[in-house]
Amino acid sequence: MLFYPGDETPICTRQMCSVRDRWTDYLATGAEVVGISTDTVESHQKFSEHHLLPLRLLADADGKVTSLYGVRSWLPGRSARAVIVVDAHGIVRHRQVQPLSLFRPKDNVVLEAIRTAQSDRAAHVSSAVL
């Protein structure tokens, strides 16, 4: 999950467009990658269409998911910029929160976090089978 403060803001737009530009790499992980902000469904639709974003954008207009994952921004009613990687069993394997939201996460870091979560899960399953 890629939490971000808002649609059509400079850093958030660069972040989501970077994910778009690296979409083949994200798809290669087999993970479902979603963007989440407290903007509305309508705002997400316009943002996605304007920038041809391939990932699903989830509207957390009431902030419940943002609160659940502890990624509230210092900006009222907004999510912080955060990367949360959850495995197939619902276990959070990676959590990186940037409360000031001034810098976007690097795609290589996000992709590595996904791969690490997958390999950690595979290693756990392999050791449980032995």
Side-chain angles (χ1 to χ4, degrees):
M1 293 178 278
L2 304 173
F3 286 87
Y4 64 100
D7 298 335
E8 297 295 356
T9 59
I11 298 168
C12 297
T13 299
R14 281 196 300 275
Q15 177 184 0
M16 293 298 120
C17 287
S18 181
V19 171
R20 176 201 63 206
D21 295 345
R22 298 281 308 269
W23 192 240
T24 303
D25 296 327
Y26 282 95
L27 282 177
T29 68
E32 182 171 355
V33 179
V34 297
I36 303 174
S37 83
T38 56
D39 286 319
T40 64
V41 171
E42 295 79 18
S43 177
H44 282 342
Q45 186 173 5
K46 290 176 186 174
F47 182 50
S48 183
E49 289 172 0
H50 181 218
H51 297 285
L52 304 172
L53 302 177
L55 70 160
R56 183 177 310 174
L57 299 180
L58 304 178
D60 182 29
D62 60 8
K64 286 183 181 176
V65 177
T66 296
S67 291
L68 178 68
Y69 284 96
V71 294
R72 284 220 173 268
S73 173
W74 57 274
L75 296 167
R78 294 292 187 173
S79 301
R81 193 170 315 282
V83 176
I84 309 287
V85 178
V86 179
D87 72 14
H89 296 281
I91 298 169
V92 174
R93 299 286 178 175
H94 175 85
R95 184 175 189 280
Q96 175 189 7
V97 181
Q98 297 169 309
L100 293 179
S101 301
L102 298 176
F103 302 99
R104 66 178 179 83
K106 302 292 185 216
D107 292 300
N108 288 339
V109 172
V110 176
L111 290 161
E112 185 58 31
I114 293 168
R115 289 185 198 106
T116 299
Q118 291 168 332
S119 65
D120 286 351
R121 177 69 189 141
H124 178 71
V125 170
S126 296
S127 65
V129 172
L130 297 176

